[in-house]
Amino acid sequence: MRIDIITVVPQLIQGFLEESILGRAQKKGLVDIHLHNLRDYAVRKDRRVDDYPFGGFAGMVMQCEPIDRCISALTAQRHYDQIIFTTPDGEQFDQPMANELSLCENIIILCGHYKGIDYRIREHLITKEVSIGDYVLTGGELAAAVMTDAIVRIIPGVIGDEQSALSDSFQDNLLAAPVYTRPADYKGWKVPEILLSGHQAKIKEWELQQSLQRTKTLRPDLLE
Ligand code: SAM
């Protein structure tokens, strides 16, 4: 899978993408992540990519031309399954969307900044608009980082034990069961007996019951 992220501040997420599981996934060749500085596609000599909004509104708006030039340069080289714009009024990002996007070959994620992007780009070039929550961030970089992380960690081979990603919260609309590690008794705080029994079928049943119980209590909406 290939993910192209377009931003005016690539340095905001460069380190994040190079470290830990995402960094290792790229080294293993399981995903190819490219950051593009939108200023490289600026039409103005000062490399600015924003301008005053028509209508006299407050704030600055990202111009059509640099975004169009950058997206066109990418789409001239390969087909993209989705050209995503991060925006607070987009479709809410969740685990099913992460699962679906992880099956794509190539995606572009465009990060907005300032007051947002010229609406014509959204009308003519963007195929999917995604929000990571009902709050407003300064820019789309954190949204792109959140999405990339959630998408990449479920690509087969990225996490050592594939079963681990499948038993995480929100897969199958259930919250995850509690997890414990050594020591089995810490200050008298004991690990549930069943987990030390070695009886795999009973442990599986316990895990499912815990997931169901926690989901019922904490997120009953997921069971509806
Ligand atoms: N004027 C826009 C509005 O009210 O919807 C907000 C612009 S925001 C300051 C700048 C950029 O940050 C947006 O264009 C978007 O790319 C990104 N952004 C902010 N909040 C976001 C969220 N909740 N989800 C995804 N992207 C977000």
Side-chain angles (χ1 to χ4, degrees), residues 5-9 12-13 35 62 84-88 109-117 130-132 135-148:
I5 301 173
I6 305 172
T7 161
V8 282
V9 269
L12 269 182
I13 49 171
L35 274 173
M62 287 165 72
I84 299 167
F85 175 50
T86 57
T87 176
I109 304 178
L110 170 64
C111 307
H113 229 82
Y114 318 112
K115 195 71 187 157
I117 62 172
V130 181
S131 164
I132 59 159
Y135 40 79
V136 176
L137 301 163
T138 320
E141 290 72 22
L142 290 177
V146 165
M147 292 171 63
T148 302

Side-chain angles (χ1 to χ4, degrees), residues 22 93 95 98-99 102 145-155:
L22 290 191
F93 187 66
Q95 192 62 52
N99 293 350
S102 77
V146 165
M147 292 171 63
T148 302
D149 189 296
I151 291 167
V152 171
R153 72 187 294 282
I154 48 178
I155 293 174

Side-chain angles (χ1 to χ4, degrees), residues 60-145:
M60 300 298 279
V61 175
M62 287 165 72
Q63 293 177 287
C64 281
E65 200 169 349
I67 299 174
D68 186 21
R69 284 168 61 153
C70 182
I71 291 179
S72 299
L74 291 171
T75 53
Q77 290 173 53
R78 65 193 67 78
H79 167 76
Y80 283 89
D81 305 285
Q82 294 287 4
I83 302 176
I84 299 167
F85 175 50
T86 57
T87 176
D89 57 8
E91 190 185 338
Q92 183 95 25
F93 187 66
D94 57 12
Q95 192 62 52
M97 195 193 290
N99 293 350
E100 195 183 309
L101 290 172
S102 77
L103 300 174
C104 292
E105 277 282 308
N106 305 307
I107 61 172
I108 292 174
I109 304 178
L110 170 64
C111 307
H113 229 82
Y114 318 112
K115 195 71 187 157
I117 62 172
D118 189 307
Y119 203 76
R120 290 168 290 183
I121 292 290
R122 297 174 65 170
E123 289 173 320
H124 296 283
L125 294 182
I126 299 299
T127 60
K128 193 173 182 71
E129 299 191 325
V130 181
S131 164
I132 59 159
D134 287 348
Y135 40 79
V136 176
L137 301 163
T138 320
E141 290 72 22
L142 290 177

